[in-house]
Amino acid sequence: MISAADVDELTGRVRGPVLVPDTEGFAQEVTGFNLAGVARPNVVVGATGTEDVVAAMGWAGAHRCPVGVQATGHGADQAMEGGLLITTSRMQDLDVDPVHRTARVGAGVRWRNVLEATLPHGLIGLNGSSTDVGVVGYTLGGGLPILGRTFGWAAERILAAELVTPDGAVHRLDADHDPELFGLLRGGTGNLGIVTSLAFELVPLDGFYGGGIFYPGADAHQVLTAFSSWAPALPPQANTSVALLRLPDLPMVPDPLRGQFVVHLRFAWAGDPDQGAQALAPMREVSHPVLATAAPMDYGEVDRIDMDPTEPVPLFHTGGFLADFGTDAVQDLLAVAGPGQDFPAVAVEVVQMGAAFSHPGQVPDAVHGRGADCFLGVVALLVPPVAEAVPAAVEALLQAMAPHAPGGVFVNHYGFPDTEAERARAWPAEAYERLVQAKTAVDPQNLLRFQHVVGQGHC
């Protein structure tokens, strides 16, 4: 039980705001992008820098108070009940070194801020489908870059990290300083401590072509069959996915698509736009597109490719890696989520992997999925009247696709795992064993027990 005196003690230790549930601004402070993972802590600290994180962790250890951390809340899949929430959105340090092609960011920086700072130098970081997402949480989970077939996993680009462990100690990690702990952060996500800053490589981008093609949902079999033979043969400059979308009848959805079931091909080409157009050309001849947006593009507009939601919503997202996406996999997918099926998810996406996604990292890491052919992602809105039907329907889809799945799931999209065995699927077996050992060493009280936990989790 946290008393008023305990809160006063915490307030005296930190510079940032300390809020409790009856304090003005508390609800705004704890609410992240994903409204499905509601945070109901006993107290929240709005950290302004590493010193605040150190002080808050020290206070939590002294009071045996469990700790959660949140930047943008895009990864807030699971509710947090009680404890101390440390929010890092105020930690906005951002330094770019265009000569050495590196960036260093504070824990609250979003990808769009990075792009604004790097694009004038012809450089980018390896963001995902939305630049609204926080850099640190996304990257620690491995990252699934929109240009991943070209440049690999975002976690592979991490050069250094500042980590505050549950004992309040500050660790400055890189390949030469505590390489074991450093490697576990790269894809192991943040259950070993709170990362207060991250340094990573930038990559040069000379030309970009991107966008999508929307097809009638009734032609899903034709489109997915064409995709399954076209996508694996693409060169590494090409990055693509295809999604079955059941779009709501809302003003935010463009008129031709509003309230429709469509197939959305997403495409991003790193390099000469003319070559990108040539690579995409065969898919333009498939079916009769409802809308086509692919064109030479400024990478600063990359959000236009997947068109992820920009307003907070209650999301459920999960999925798994696929060993193949051939004829049988297409049929099994459509049998559950295709035309004529009452499937209560907004999106079922197949991301083509391979190319640089499959390359081994130069420094050891905990990234999962290098041997996968594709990633299957499912996104549902947990809103009436479909919310209650979502878990069973998604499970039916995953079971239908199980014959094509080698096992494992991407940690940033693994839903609501109930058991340690389910959580362990997010990492290679050997990496998970090392994560559990490190967790026991650095967090013996299991203070960090929310979100992407390893080991027994809650206690």
Side-chain angles (χ1 to χ4, degrees):
M1 187 71 178
I2 299 174
S3 67
D6 296 332
V7 174
D8 288 342
E9 178 194 347
L10 179 58
T11 302
R13 290 192 181 197
V14 301
R15 291 181 299 171
V18 176
L19 306 172
V20 293
D22 59 356
T23 305
E24 183 179 355
F26 177 88
Q28 181 178 358
E29 189 73 23
V30 304
T31 301
F33 177 84
N34 189 352
L35 301 180
V38 179
R40 301 183 183 88
N42 298 119
V43 60
V44 57
V45 168
T48 61
T50 300
E51 297 83 1
D52 279 355
V53 176
V54 170
M57 290 291 274
W59 177 90
H63 292 272
R64 300 185 65 84
C65 179
V67 179
V69 61
Q70 180 170 288
T72 67
H74 281 77
D77 296 319
Q78 302 161 54
M80 174 182 173
E81 298 289 347
L84 165 67
L85 177 65
I86 299 174
T87 59
T88 61
S89 58
R90 293 169 179 80
M91 300 173 65
Q92 291 293 321
D93 291 343
L94 171 57
D95 297 303
V96 173
D97 182 345
V99 175
H100 295 96
R101 296 178 178 175
T102 63
R104 182 181 294 274
V105 301
V109 174
R110 298 173 189 253
W111 276 112
R112 75 162 63 95
N113 305 118
V114 174
L115 289 183
E116 289 170 358
T118 62
L119 280 173
H121 304 289
L123 302 170
I124 63 168
L126 297 184
N127 59 278
S129 60
S130 171
T131 62
D132 189 49
V133 171
V135 175
V136 170
Y138 159 91
T139 306
L140 295 181
L144 193 65
I146 203 160
L147 293 180
R149 294 186 80 249
T150 309
F151 297 112
W153 300 89
E156 294 175 337
R157 300 285 172 167
I158 297 175
L159 297 171
E162 183 176 75
L163 177 75
V164 179
T165 45
D167 60 359
V170 179
H171 305 258
R172 293 176 175 85
L173 308 174
D174 58 33
D176 297 318
H177 300 88
D178 203 339
E180 172 67 14
L181 191 55
F182 177 63
L184 290 174
L185 282 183
R186 293 158 48 102
T189 197
N191 201 234
L192 303 177
I194 296 179
V195 171
T196 54
S197 72
L198 203 63
F200 53 92
E201 292 180 85
L202 302 171
V203 298
L205 186 67
D206 183 15
F208 183 67
Y209 181 94
I213 302 175
F214 292 88
Y215 307 90
D219 292 341
H221 186 274
Q222 180 182 354
V223 176
L224 265 60
T225 299
F227 176 88
S228 69
S229 60
W230 167 77
L234 290 169
Q237 297 98 314
N239 300 265
T240 189
S241 66
V242 65
L244 305 177
L245 301 181
R246 288 172 167 84
L247 296 169
D249 186 6
L250 296 173
M252 67 182 71
V253 181
D255 284 335
L257 309 175
R258 192 174 301 164
Q260 301 298 311
F261 172 49
V262 296
V263 185
H264 185 195
L265 175 72
R266 291 88 177 262
F267 186 76
W269 177 274
D272 185 340
D274 290 340
Q275 294 180 8
Q278 293 172 14
L280 181 61
M283 292 302 293
R284 291 188 180 274
E285 304 303 318
V286 177
S287 177
H288 300 284
V290 177
L291 179 67
T293 64
M297 180 186 290
D298 183 324
Y299 192 81
E301 300 178 301
V302 68
D303 288 341
R304 290 171 44 203
I305 296 177
D306 282 49
M307 300 193 299
D308 287 351
T310 58
E311 297 297 324
V313 286
L315 288 174
F316 173 83
H317 46 78
T318 187
F321 296 114
L322 300 179
D324 72 275
F325 190 61
T327 300
D328 291 344
V330 169
Q331 292 177 343
D332 290 341
L333 177 63
L334 293 176
V336 179
Q341 303 301 319
D342 185 18
F343 191 73
V346 174
V348 178
E349 180 183 33
V350 177
V351 181
Q352 183 63 46
M353 298 181 67
F357 274 126
S358 63
H359 298 167
Q362 295 183 353
V363 176
D365 58 45
V367 170
H368 201 6
R370 285 195 171 93
D373 181 67
C374 296
F375 177 73
L376 172 70
V378 185
V379 179
L381 294 178
L382 295 180
V383 295
V386 300
E388 292 185 1
V390 165
V394 171
E395 180 60 26
L397 175 62
L398 297 180
Q399 289 299 318
M401 299 303 290
H404 316 286
V409 63
F410 182 47
V411 65
N412 284 352
H413 298 279
Y414 75 165
F416 306 149
D418 292 326
T419 66
E420 182 179 5
E422 291 177 353
R423 294 194 297 271
R425 294 176 55 241
W427 294 279
E430 180 272 337
Y432 183 74
E433 183 177 338
R434 290 190 293 117
L435 278 166
V436 172
Q437 293 172 352
K439 169 73 171 179
T440 302
V442 303
D443 189 11
Q445 295 187 69
N446 192 24
L447 294 182
L448 291 164
R449 65 181 73 167
F450 301 108
Q451 291 302 323
H452 304 310
V453 299
V454 297
Q456 295 299 314
H458 294 266
C459 67

